[in-house]
């Protein structure tokens, strides 16, 4: 997590229903002192923080991240709001079962400033994408997408907040489904219901 953690909060809230079928076993961040870590602590969830600056290089950071995540034995990893690319060590352990959300309709507007880029481009519809993390920037197989209108008076903030309302619901719906049902990933297609 890097930010305010509203996606995390939506997931935590969903897990209070036994029907959701999943629990949040740990929350990790690459920055200390962020709201997402406070949210997790308030709910009694294990937390960890691995700032990139504490490591010699990205390779060492990636290995430490993989080790730390493995110590919590998750079935599924959600990088909601995590603004760093994971590396080969992480993907070797968790590739195919790590998802992230992106506040745009992929493959449009990858990167850190998707709502701003969508506004500047003048699109009338944007949205959010849940995808399986691969080595690229917002390039992985698409699990789900939701469309969100761009309104005439939008600025970056109002647009991003509107996207986030739909993004949170998409995240909860599809992470729940991935937790409850078997799924297989073949090339760029995620299929539910196969053993
Ligand atoms: C989300 O829109 C996410 O897709 C983007 O940053 C935002 C994080 O929001 N990478 P939050 O921290 O979950 O509130």
């Amino acid at each position: 997590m890097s930010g305010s953690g509203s996606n995390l909060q939506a997931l935590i809230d969903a897990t209070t229903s036994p029907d959701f079928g999943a629990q949040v076993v740990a929350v990790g961040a690459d920055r200390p002192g962020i709201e997402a870590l406070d949210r997790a602590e308030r709910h009694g969830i294990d937390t960890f923080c691995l700032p990139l600056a504490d490591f010699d290089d990205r390779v060492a950071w990636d290995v430490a991240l993989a080790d730390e995540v493995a110590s919590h034995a998750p079935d599924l990893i959600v990088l909601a709001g995590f603004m760093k690319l994971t590396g080969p060590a992480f993907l070797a352990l968790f590739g195919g079962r790590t998802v992230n959300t992106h506040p745009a309709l992929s493959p449009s507007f990858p990167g850190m400033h998707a709502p701003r880029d969508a506004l500047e481009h003048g699109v009338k519809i944007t949205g959010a994408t849940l995808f399986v993390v691969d080595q690229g920037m917002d390039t992985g197989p698409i699990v789900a997408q939701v469309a969100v209108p761009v309104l005439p008076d939008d600025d970056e903030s109002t647009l991003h907040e509107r996207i986030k309302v739909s993004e949170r619901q998409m995240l909860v719906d599809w992470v729940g489904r991935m937790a409850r049902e078997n799924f297989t990933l073949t090339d760029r297609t995620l299929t539910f219901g196969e053993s």
Side-chain angles (χ1 to χ4, degrees):
M1 300 284 166
S2 297
S4 72
S6 70
N7 281 289
L8 168 67
Q9 189 67 55
L11 275 178
I12 292 173
D13 291 347
T15 62
T16 61
S17 162
D19 294 342
F20 188 68
Q23 295 294 318
V24 180
V25 293
V27 171
D30 66 316
R31 290 191 289 137
I34 59 168
E35 178 62 17
L37 291 174
D38 293 343
R39 290 179 191 272
E41 281 163 15
R42 283 199 291 274
H43 289 270
I45 298 168
D46 281 355
T47 62
F48 60 89
C49 185
L50 297 174
L52 188 53
D54 288 358
F55 296 86
D56 287 343
D57 53 27
R58 268 191 173 265
V59 173
W61 173 80
D62 177 50
V63 169
L65 180 65
D67 285 349
E68 178 65 42
V69 172
S71 76
H72 298 281
D75 297 315
L76 192 64
I77 300 91
V78 181
L79 301 185
F82 192 73
M83 305 291 270
K84 295 254 181 332
L85 284 179
T86 55
F90 183 92
L91 289 174
L93 287 183
F94 303 114
R97 56 192 178 107
T98 300
V99 294
N100 199 355
T101 64
H102 180 58
L105 291 175
S106 296
S108 294
F109 311 120
M112 306 278 280
H113 305 290
R116 185 174 80 195
D117 295 343
L119 262 185
E120 285 176 359
H121 199 84
V123 297
K124 304 305 178 199
I125 300 281
T126 183
T129 301
L130 182 69
F131 63 97
V132 179
V133 172
D134 66 6
Q135 68 281 0
M137 171 96 70
D138 305 320
T139 51
I142 292 169
V143 179
Q145 292 187 301
V146 60
V148 174
V150 181
L151 301 184
D153 292 336
D154 269 339
D155 58 24
E156 182 180 357
S157 169
T158 59
L159 177 58
H160 197 176
E161 285 308 312
R162 187 177 313 109
I163 291 169
K164 284 174 67 170
V165 172
S166 297
E167 185 181 27
R168 288 191 287 265
Q169 189 63 51
M170 174 185 69
L171 184 72
V172 166
D173 289 348
W174 288 87
V175 165
R177 195 167 175 200
M178 291 176 83
R180 289 186 301 272
E181 299 179 30
N182 291 324
F183 63 86
T184 49
L185 185 62
T186 308
D187 299 324
R188 291 192 59 84
T189 303
L190 191 84
T191 309
F192 286 95
E194 293 173 14
S195 56

